[in-house]
Amino acid sequence: MSIDAEKINNYINSFAKLINEQQAKKYNGDLKVGVDLGTANIVLSVIDEEGNPVAGASYPASVVKDGLVVDYVGAVKIVKELKNRVEDLLDTTLTHAATAVPPGTIGGNMKAISNVVEAAELEVTNVIDEPTAAATVLGVTDGAVVDVGGGTTGISILKNGEVIYTADEPTGGTHMSLVVAGHYKVSFAEGDALKMDPARQGEVFSIIKPVVEKMASIVKRHTRDFDVDKIYVVGGASCFDEFEDVFFKEIGIETIKPAHPLLITPLGIALNSLK
Ligand SMILES: Nc1ncnc2c1ncn2[C@@H]1O[C@H](COP(=O)(O)OP(=O)(O)OP(=O)(O)O)[C@@H](O)[C@H]1O
Ligand SMILES: [Mg+2]
């Protein structure tokens, strides 16, 4: 099955626009909320009953690391602030939210993620798998969804709408920033800033290309025993223009990247909320 890329990109672009312009859309009926506690970004997404984005907010943070809460108080504070911001835009109170964890997260860590959301006064409707969230937005039922986030790369293989295999490997945007910092002999923060400078994308990409090749070889290893004919990449660290080309060259499987890859998982969490 192939996805309707144009429709999906329009959908994601509308959410990105709301976040960037800090605006809310008019809506009818009940709202669904998603909270993505990522390693690099915390994102709160709100959609209406039909799944249309109505508001959102995000905050760069390092309070959660690969699904592990490392700064509980800080995390709660940020979710509260995002909630307040979005409530002001919508002129309503949000009461429930879904949240997500990387595949393989268990027991206490899963509970800690829910506790953060609950402490921000959002009753947790359900906790889902990050790849499932991304696959819902993309309408993917078969293929591999690869989420290249801040700290890790999550690989999920779907068949007939079911996730049949998952893996999480410790490589992501943080490693790219380290390589950039090393190359220019600057601090991590400076390397990270350089990495995100749109004016220097080409130059930066030539430096981090080996990291992307390495990521691709990891994905190749995890997908080789399955019948995968398309790879969908999401996550902030896949933002580089040439990212999917490197994957295709290295793996030999068609690789598709939607618009605003870092907003896919957050939107999918709201879409999967049970209330
Ligand atoms: N325009 C961009 N160009 C390059 N890298 C980017 C860009 N925007 C974001 N990133 C990188 O993407 C990473 C964050 O992506 P994302 O928000 O998907 O991660 P996360 O969900 O917070 O982390 P994880 O899923 O690993 O817990 C960071 O390393 C950030 O530097
Ligand atoms: Mg993530």
Side-chain angles (χ1 to χ4, degrees):
M1 187 206 86
S2 74
I3 62 166
D4 186 343
E6 196 186 329
K7 194 170 150 208
I8 290 164
N9 284 347
N10 286 340
Y11 177 69
I12 299 153
N13 283 329
S14 73
F15 183 52
K17 195 160 177 272
L18 292 174
I19 293 190
N20 292 338
E21 295 175 1
Q22 306 218 358
Q23 295 207 342
K25 245 206 206 114
K26 287 205 177 63
Y27 67 94
N28 290 311
D30 289 333
L31 295 174
K32 282 182 170 185
V33 182
V35 177
D36 184 5
L37 294 161
T39 303
N41 294 296
I42 297 191
V43 186
L44 191 143
S45 330
V46 187
I47 58 171
D48 68 13
E49 280 181 346
E50 269 118 52
N52 302 307
V54 297
S58 91
Y59 193 92
S62 47
V63 289
V64 174
K65 201 172 176 302
D66 310 332
L68 247 73
V69 181
V70 292
D71 174 4
Y72 182 82
V73 174
V76 172
K77 196 169 156 239
I78 293 166
V79 177
K80 267 189 183 159
E81 205 221 282
L82 295 177
K83 177 177 179 266
N84 287 339
R85 218 197 285 170
V86 168
E87 285 178 342
D88 283 349
L89 291 172
L90 290 166
D91 197 20
T92 188
T93 305
L94 304 175
T95 56
H96 294 73
T99 188
V101 290
T105 309
I106 46 164
N109 294 328
M110 197 149 149
K111 189 76 191 114
I113 292 282
S114 300
N115 285 347
V116 169
V117 179
E118 299 253 341
E121 284 155 46
L122 286 165
E123 194 183 308
V124 173
T125 55
N126 49 326
V127 183
I128 66 158
D129 247 319
E130 287 176 357
T132 303
T136 307
V137 176
L138 302 175
V140 171
T141 54
D142 295 273
V145 174
V146 177
D147 185 348
V148 195
T152 61
T153 292
I155 301 136
S156 314
I157 299 175
L158 289 100
K159 199 179 162 76
N160 299 326
E162 297 280 327
V163 178
I164 56 165
Y165 175 81
T166 63
D168 214 32
E169 294 275 359
T171 176
T174 304
H175 305 86
M176 294 175 173
S177 302
L178 281 171
V179 169
V180 173
H183 180 87
Y184 292 104
K185 302 189 172 52
V186 296
S187 69
F188 175 81
E190 286 167 300
D192 195 56
L194 246 171
K195 182 186 78 174
M196 313 273 257
D197 183 350
R200 301 184 71 170
Q201 239 213 29
E203 174 192 343
V204 165
F205 196 76
S206 66
I207 297 160
I208 57 128
K209 196 172 169 192
V211 180
V212 182
E213 285 168 344
K214 175 78 187 168
M215 288 168 170
S217 75
I218 291 170
V219 172
K220 187 176 183 175
R221 177 159 51 77
H222 283 286
T223 49
R224 73 178 161 210
D225 293 334
F226 297 91
D227 175 23
V228 170
D229 69 349
K230 282 192 184 68
I231 295 173
Y232 301 87
V233 286
V234 302
S238 73
C239 279
F240 295 93
D241 286 345
E242 296 163 64
F243 191 97
E244 57 271 40
D245 295 344
V246 173
F247 262 49
F248 178 61
K249 287 204 183 90
E250 193 71 27
I251 312 172
I253 298 176
E254 184 186 352
T255 302
I256 299 157
K257 183 177 69 183
H260 301 285
L262 78 172
L263 295 178
I264 308 296
T265 300
L267 251 185
I269 299 172
L271 277 171
N272 279 284
S273 177
L274 294 176
K275 190 173 168 169

